[in-house]
Amino acid sequence: MTDHDYMREALSLALKGKGFTSPNPCVGALIVKNGVIVGKGWHRAAGMAHAEVAAIEDAQKTNPDNTRGATIYVTLEPCNHFGKTPPCTHKIIDAGISRVVVGCKDPNPYVGGGGILYLKEKGLEVVHGLLEKEAQTLIEDFIWYTRKDKTPFVILKSAATLDGYIATSTGDSQWITNEKSRNRVHQLRHEVDAILIGSGTLHADNPSLTSRIVNTITKDPLRVILDSKLSIDEAAQVINQQSDAGTLLVVGPDAPSKKRKRLEKKGVGVLELPLKNGRLDLGQLMIKLGQMSIQSVLIEGGGKVAAAVLKEGIVNKVLFFLAPKFLGGSDGIPVFDGKGPEKICDAFQLKQMEIAMFDNDLLITGYLKD
């Protein structure tokens, strides 16, 4: 096997922690000695051992000398500062590891490169930038949050027919996409810190907004509901279900205070925001969510919310599911509701586009912001 093969294995290990490690990034590590993998590890949750430590402990379980003269492959630069745990660079040196291969540098401009430099100064061979793009994509939300004034990485997800509708004229939308596509969406919910919808979707679907995958342990995201007038039914699923995650209602200045107090007594979070052009200020919302350590938000709203977040310029990434169906009329509910640009040259343009199939459904993924 080559360095690339081992790093791909480390990336696979890191993926095991995706969704569980926030506010930390998911990281994987692999230790190889004489062409044999002797240790594997990944960061399982915030406050638990970092991937490098887990891999070293795994390698040394059978033989303390397994790490001496070995190579460690790690998807993110080893930390070189004291936090909740000691620096991983110290652990690597103490284990006798002689070579370190890094996927990507720490995105924090104040510490990035420090771990690599320290290991080199201690005489270790260090290679960095191996499968860097893949390593960065794995933690793109953490990178954005760290570098962009601590605002969340925003993903807009839509599921539509080929002719661009998310529901029929009666509001029926179950199910446009197939089970495999829906499972991918539930995986996305698990991976993000928060999920956001508007009051229209809330009233139409009474959704649970949880992550549900058969025979898989998942984490629910914080449920964020745009509800400027606090119109939510107090029996709604999002505030009356068993979930470790909370619900945050985002309201305007005129939300009824008595209802607000009742909901807050039930443990429901309520965040008041100013209005901007008659609508909740989404830019301010992202700042507030960032202050709550929310690093990633999945938008699953209807046409009005989808159009609003695009116009506000807060969307980083788009996931667009297309089912091989069409309504064949002009009275369905469109993906985006509202006035669009008058010229094609002003259309939103996806970059770094990828296409994948989920059985017969098509998933188009792309970025609006770097």
Side-chain angles (χ1 to χ4, degrees):
M1 292 176 68
T2 66
D3 280 348
H4 284 77
D5 295 326
Y6 291 129
M7 184 58 76
R8 286 193 183 90
E9 177 66 20
L11 289 165
S12 296
L13 291 169
L15 195 58
K16 292 175 180 285
K18 188 76 171 172
F20 295 111
T21 63
S22 186
N24 295 344
C26 57
V27 183
L30 190 76
I31 298 175
V32 178
K33 185 173 183 178
N34 298 326
V36 177
I37 297 172
V38 295
K40 297 180 179 182
W42 65 93
H43 186 39
R44 294 174 182 267
M48 296 186 69
H50 287 190
E52 302 93 317
V53 174
I56 289 169
E57 291 177 349
D58 181 51
Q60 292 179 339
K61 275 191 308 187
T62 53
N63 186 346
D65 290 331
N66 268 346
T67 55
R68 299 219 163 269
T71 296
I72 185 168
Y73 298 83
V74 59
T75 58
L76 179 65
E77 177 184 4
C79 62
N80 192 43
H81 56 276
F82 285 88
K84 292 183 179 179
T85 59
C88 289
T89 52
H90 293 198
K91 186 76 173 180
I92 289 170
I93 292 166
D94 292 343
I97 289 170
S98 60
R99 183 170 180 259
V100 181
V101 181
V102 176
C104 64
K105 288 184 178 180
D106 192 312
N108 188 327
Y110 297 105
V111 300
I116 291 172
L117 180 61
Y118 181 80
L119 292 169
K120 286 182 176 180
E121 289 175 344
K122 293 298 180 179
L124 280 73
E125 179 188 350
V126 182
V127 177
H128 67 85
L130 187 68
L131 298 183
E132 182 177 41
K133 185 177 185 299
E134 291 88 337
Q136 289 175 334
T137 299
L138 188 65
I139 58 169
E140 59 190 2
D141 51 350
F142 176 76
I143 292 174
W144 175 268
Y145 183 82
T146 301
R147 291 178 176 173
K148 301 294 182 179
D149 300 322
K150 296 191 180 303
T151 55
F153 184 87
V154 178
I155 303 167
L156 174 61
K157 166 257 161 182
S158 291
T161 61
L162 288 178
D163 45 357
Y165 294 112
I166 59 174
T168 67
S169 59
T170 64
D172 181 42
S173 61
Q174 295 187 353
W175 294 104
I176 289 177
T177 53
N178 61 41
E179 184 178 2
K180 196 169 182 180
S181 294
R182 297 196 297 274
N183 280 342
R184 176 66 186 113
V185 172
H186 280 278
Q187 180 66 30
L188 277 169
R189 291 181 179 182
H190 159 76
E191 293 175 358
V192 298
D193 291 335
I195 181 172
L196 184 150
I197 64 168
S199 57
T201 299
L202 174 72
H203 296 312
D205 299 340
N206 189 23
S208 62
L209 302 183
T210 54
S211 176
R212 307 178 303 278
I213 305 176
V214 177
N215 298 323
T216 302
I217 297 173
T218 56
K219 169 196 66 66
D220 291 338
L222 172 71
R223 295 172 289 277
V224 181
I225 317 294
L226 303 179
D227 190 10
S228 61
K229 300 184 184 301
L230 198 55
S231 60
I232 188 171
D233 184 336
E234 292 180 52
Q237 284 197 89
V238 290
I239 55 177
N240 292 283
Q241 63 189 349
Q242 292 296 317
S243 174
D244 291 334
T247 296
L248 179 67
L249 302 176
V250 185
V251 303
D254 298 328
S257 58
K258 288 184 179 179
K259 185 175 183 181
R260 174 174 176 169
K261 288 176 182 177
R262 285 198 308 271
L263 289 166
E264 287 176 329
K265 282 184 179 180
K266 292 178 66 173
V268 180
V270 181
L271 173 64
E272 182 178 319
L273 285 182
L275 299 182
K276 179 180 177 182
N277 299 323
R279 301 179 66 89
L280 291 166
D281 190 331
L282 298 177
Q284 282 297 311
L285 175 59
M286 293 303 116
I287 292 172
K288 294 292 185 182
L289 292 177
Q291 291 170 350
M292 296 166 58
S293 297
I294 299 296
Q295 296 184 359
S296 53
V297 177
L298 176 64
I299 309 285
E300 279 199 37
K304 285 185 171 61
V305 169
V309 295
L310 277 183
K311 289 182 175 67
E312 190 64 29
I314 62 173
V315 177
N316 296 81
K317 188 175 186 178
V318 174
L319 276 77
F320 207 121
F321 289 89
L322 280 172
K325 307 170 183 176
F326 46 88
L327 299 185
S330 60
D331 59 347
I333 298 174
V335 175
F336 301 106
D337 186 1
K339 185 175 174 58
E342 295 182 357
K343 297 180 178 180
I344 289 295
C345 63
D346 295 324
F348 296 94
Q349 180 72 50
L350 288 182
K351 298 176 285 187
Q352 302 177 51
M353 197 176 73
E354 294 181 358
I355 297 175
M357 297 296 297
F358 286 79
D359 287 338
N360 291 329
D361 290 346
L362 183 71
L363 171 60
I364 299 172
T365 302
Y367 294 83
L368 290 174
K369 288 169 34 174
D370 296 325

